[in-house]
Amino acid sequence: MTVLYCDFETRSHCDLPSRGVYNYAMHATTEVICMSYAFDDEDVQTWIPLHPFPERVANFVGQIRAHNAAFERLIFQHVLGLDFRLEQFYCTSAQARANCAPGSLEDVGRFAGASMRKDHKGAALVRKFCIPPFSEDDPAELIAYCEQDVRAMRAISRSLRDLSVDELIDYHVNERINDRGVKVDGALARAAMGYSSDEIEDIQARVTEITEGAVPTVRSPKLREWVIPRLTEEQAKLTVKDDTVSLDKTVRGNLLACDDLAPEVREVIQAADDMWASSVAKFARMDQLACTDGRVRGAFVFAGGAATGRAASYGLQVHNFTRRCAKDPEAVRHAMVRGHRIVPAFGKRITDVLRGMLRPALIPDEVFTVADWSAIEARINPWLSAHPAAQSVLDVFAAGGDIYVREARNIFRVEEVTDDQRQVGKVAILACGFGGSVGAFSAMGRAYGLSLPEHEARAIVEAWRRANPWAPAFWSSLEIAASRALHRPGTETTAGRITYLSDGTHLWYMLPSGRVLCYPYARFEADAITYAKASWKPRADATEWPRARLWKGLLCENVVQAVAADLLRASLRRAPNVVLHIHDEIVCEGDHVDQLRDIMCTPPEWAAGLPLKVGIKTMSRYGK
């Protein structure tokens, strides 16, 4: 099969970062500066608009590989008028992410150790030739840079495992959803932007409250002084840049990616991010990204979640929308578009009111069908373990029983369960399922309004583990299998329904679906397994990519979430008119209740024996 590798350099009066690739490609001022391309192993060539367009490219019917291929696809379509089939496109950025590497072309090269030096040359050339005011200098240097990108992209793509047939199908499903887009309530988004200063005051007040007055403002140096002592040793290492301690955007992102960050520290760091990416900012992005038909396109990043392959969101950032929604969104919208006071009528804080309107700002032409799996991770976890003792948990789900009541009965050794005891059962299964202990239980409990003395929390954790012997056994078997695979490269080791294999460089694991993922550059360090974590960003002067510790709880969480991603992918292939998917939830435009329930409750062949259930309803605005 002949492969065409290509890359465009373009210019436009449309701002790509703020308006998004769809608006950019369709803007009247957008034009191609050059297109560099190569077929298979052939030398890289470049076309510029002064010359006739190469017929070999125009008539090509094979696979087209590009990094962030949606850009090339849309430039071909809207600027050059060439309608290649979607199925011809293969994204090498998606390929990198599917191999648990960073998605950017520069970062994936640094990740592989080719060069840990950051090259600002490309960014400088883009500023010079692609962003107004455009330079009239000879673009020879930009063309050379474009040609080098094609060479680099081709080399990196060939060094990575190819996307499987299923992964490529799922990538194309993702792009169809991106092309369809979702409509936003423009009037609501623009009205929300008027509450900006009030929200900033709200965020600062929340930080002062959490820190008990120690941090009077997010922009104060005291923020750093409050956060650092509350980090673990490994987390603290992430804050050191050029021998100084920092909480800049990169550091905050790395810390927020830590699974074991203390809840109050997470909230304060998130508040610092919210100052620059507040709910008001999210509404502003809706308004900026909306195309002329009011729909936001390109919101989903295929395989954006490192180590699991879960989808991520870009631009609209729907995965970061709070799950809580306004009780009466129409009333709140009515007040907002008229500029009325929304506190205390609709909430105690401006921030909470605005966050509660993020989901309702997404609207259908007529109606949404919204469906999400019930307790999906609590079902997958025991099923994956394949442990005989896990069958009793699966039987509760299969019979339509209440798993939280089952947990409470086992914890408290009673037949009749009170509401408070059921809440303990819920917190226990959520906190303990991935190896969490007293700290995890206490943190999860606070989120559900449950506060217990440490000795009671410890007793509950121990009782849950006794009632679910399959869980500690599964965590340990995952850790043992991963360690054995590292010790014996080339030898498969199995834990439950998961298989590990080391190729001497990466630690791979295979899911029941047959999809494979890896922990890149895994190795033993001080009796622990560490790996290069793609979602963390290295310092500019770093000589090695930041590494994270791999432990049994994380191994379990990763495989469970990866299987959840596989279930979502399988359903997205069949679901009609999908406009959104958030974690374990699918949103279709139109009334498709029966069809969507059948799709999501029927497990794929590889998931036989996994009991599935969905909550499903129609709504006139997206919500909960």
Side-chain angles (χ1 to χ4, degrees):
M1 177 187 70
T2 298
V3 173
L4 169 63
Y5 299 89
C6 70
D7 185 42
F8 283 110
E9 297 297 344
T10 60
R11 67 181 186 181
S12 177
H13 287 280
C14 179
D15 182 59
L16 177 59
S18 65
R19 298 299 312 284
V21 64
Y22 285 84
N23 283 316
Y24 183 89
M26 291 185 280
H27 200 270
T29 66
T30 302
E31 57 185 355
V32 173
I33 299 173
C34 66
M35 178 188 72
S36 295
Y37 65 98
F39 291 94
D40 293 334
D41 292 322
E42 296 177 16
D43 291 340
V44 175
Q45 304 176 64
T46 295
W47 167 79
I48 58 175
L50 293 174
H51 301 148
F53 193 81
E55 290 187 11
R56 192 179 174 194
V57 174
N59 298 324
F60 186 64
V61 295
Q63 188 179 86
I64 303 171
R65 294 198 180 195
H67 210 76
N68 295 316
F71 182 82
E72 275 67 28
R73 177 167 64 87
L74 294 171
I75 294 299
F76 273 128
Q77 179 182 353
H78 294 290
V79 180
L80 298 180
L82 294 170
D83 283 329
F84 292 108
R85 292 178 299 108
L86 170 61
E87 289 75 15
Q88 287 182 256
F89 286 90
Y90 179 112
C91 181
T92 58
S93 178
Q95 180 189 6
R97 294 191 301 270
N99 282 280
C100 303
S104 81
L105 188 59
E106 176 193 60
D107 281 347
V108 72
R110 301 177 75 207
F111 188 74
S115 171
M116 287 298 290
R117 291 186 178 180
K118 190 171 180 67
D119 183 4
H120 299 280
K121 183 178 181 181
L125 289 170
V126 166
R127 286 194 297 270
K128 180 177 180 180
F129 291 101
C130 306
I131 299 173
F134 308 121
S135 171
E136 296 302 324
D137 292 349
D138 184 347
E141 196 173 6
L142 180 67
I143 291 171
Y145 190 82
C146 187
E147 291 178 345
Q148 180 54 32
D149 271 358
V150 173
R151 295 187 191 97
M153 178 254 294
R154 177 170 62 183
I156 288 170
S157 181
R158 290 183 170 184
S159 72
L160 296 170
R161 176 189 65 85
D162 264 341
L163 292 174
S164 68
V165 171
D166 284 344
E167 285 173 322
L168 192 54
I169 290 170
D170 292 329
Y171 164 70
H172 292 140
V173 169
N174 183 82
E175 292 307 287
R176 288 191 192 93
I177 295 170
N178 278 340
D179 287 352
R180 187 175 296 119
V182 63
K183 185 184 289 187
V184 301
D185 185 336
L188 171 60
R190 289 186 289 274
M193 291 156 62
Y195 294 89
S196 178
S197 59
D198 293 334
E199 187 189 30
I200 290 173
E201 290 179 11
D202 236 11
I203 292 170
Q204 290 182 338
R206 180 61 179 149
V207 170
T208 302
E209 178 185 337
I210 296 170
T211 63
E212 298 180 337
V215 183
T217 171
V218 172
R219 293 190 171 93
S220 167
K222 291 184 179 180
L223 175 71
R224 186 171 62 242
E225 296 171 9
W226 185 88
V227 167
I228 300 302
R230 290 167 173 79
L231 301 177
T232 66
E233 184 179 348
E234 288 300 312
Q235 292 164 0
K237 291 178 182 177
L238 300 174
T239 68
V240 180
K241 300 183 69 174
D242 302 322
D243 297 322
T244 61
V245 174
S246 171
L247 283 180
D248 66 13
K249 181 179 180 180
T250 300
V251 171
R252 293 196 304 271
N254 288 345
L255 288 173
L256 291 171
C258 292
D259 305 291
D260 55 346
L261 190 66
E264 66 276 9
V265 177
R266 181 180 298 278
E267 189 167 358
V268 168
I269 294 174
Q270 187 63 62
D273 258 14
D274 286 347
M275 292 293 287
W276 289 271
S278 62
S279 297
V280 166
K282 290 182 173 67
F283 282 112
R285 290 295 283 148
M286 290 183 192
D287 190 52
Q288 291 173 327
L289 292 168
C291 297
T292 54
D293 61 357
R295 300 181 82 89
V296 172
R297 295 178 167 84
F300 297 99
V301 180
F302 178 72
T308 65
R310 276 191 156 182
S313 53
Y314 173 80
L316 196 56
Q317 295 286 356
V318 292
H319 284 79
N320 292 338
F321 285 6
T322 180
R323 295 182 68 85
R324 266 179 271 164
C325 294
K327 291 182 179 179
D328 188 350
E330 293 296 344
V332 180
R333 180 192 187 276
H334 181 86
M336 289 177 63
V337 297
R338 286 160 178 76
H340 296 169
R341 291 172 62 90
I342 56 177
V343 170
F346 301 107
K348 294 180 180 179
R349 301 169 60 229
I350 294 285
T351 301
D352 293 335
V353 176
L354 294 180
R355 286 177 177 172
M357 290 301 290
L358 284 169
R359 288 188 175 214
L362 306 180
I363 55 177
D365 281 332
E366 296 180 1
V367 67
F368 282 145
T369 299
V370 181
D372 68 313
W373 279 289
S374 302
I376 188 63
E377 292 182 356
R379 296 165 186 261
I380 292 172
N381 201 353
W383 177 81
L384 265 184
S385 76
H387 193 286
Q391 190 58 48
S392 63
V393 179
L394 298 176
D395 289 343
V396 172
F397 285 123
D402 188 327
I403 193 64
Y404 304 137
V405 169
R406 184 260 188 193
E407 300 305 322
R409 282 175 179 159
N410 288 328
I411 290 170
F412 295 104
R413 298 182 182 181
V414 297
E415 281 300 316
E416 295 298 320
V417 172
T418 67
D419 289 344
D420 288 343
Q421 289 172 329
R422 181 184 181 277
Q423 189 77 336
V424 170
K426 180 176 183 177
V427 171
I429 197 171
L430 293 174
C432 303
F434 299 141
S437 189
V438 177
F441 180 87
S442 299
M444 185 68 70
R446 285 193 293 271
Y448 285 89
L450 180 67
S451 180
L452 295 173
E454 183 178 339
H455 72 278
E456 289 187 28
R458 187 174 301 281
I460 290 171
V461 169
E462 291 173 354
W464 185 88
R465 292 184 178 186
R466 284 195 302 271
N468 294 276
W470 60 268
F474 185 39
W475 309 331
S476 296
S477 69
L478 289 168
E479 193 167 55
I480 290 169
S483 298
R484 285 177 176 170
L486 271 183
H487 277 301
R488 304 169 188 170
T491 302
E492 293 184 357
T493 58
T494 300
R497 300 177 191 268
I498 304 297
T499 300
Y500 291 93
L501 174 71
S502 170
D503 62 8
T505 302
H506 309 305
L507 175 61
W508 297 88
Y509 67 92
M510 186 170 70
L511 304 170
S513 65
R515 183 163 65 98
V516 294
L517 289 156
C518 77
Y519 296 103
Y521 305 102
R523 66 182 183 228
F524 287 106
E525 287 185 298
D527 297 325
I529 300 174
T530 68
Y531 67 102
K533 189 162 183 173
S535 62
W536 286 354
K537 290 285 189 180
R539 302 189 308 270
D541 62 345
T543 57
E544 186 182 44
W545 202 271
R547 301 182 67 79
R549 176 176 169 267
L550 195 57
W551 66 291
K552 58 187 178 183
L554 182 58
L555 286 164
C556 183
E557 182 178 25
N558 285 167
V559 297
V560 168
Q561 292 187 351
V563 170
D566 282 339
L567 289 173
L568 179 66
R569 290 183 184 188
S571 293
L572 290 176
R573 292 185 192 181
R574 301 171 55 203
N577 300 324
V578 176
V579 293
L580 297 167
H581 52 91
I582 296 90
H583 303 302
D584 304 314
E585 183 175 71
I586 296 176
V587 182
C588 299
E589 200 152 21
D591 188 343
H592 304 288
V593 171
D594 292 337
Q595 185 179 1
L596 196 54
R597 179 184 287 111
D598 180 62
I599 289 169
M600 294 177 69
C601 288
T602 304
E605 289 184 9
W606 55 262
L610 174 60
L612 298 174
K613 181 183 178 181
V614 296
I616 189 166
K617 55 187 173 182
T618 58
M619 53 186 69
S620 58
R621 290 180 178 273
Y622 181 43
K624 290 298 295 180

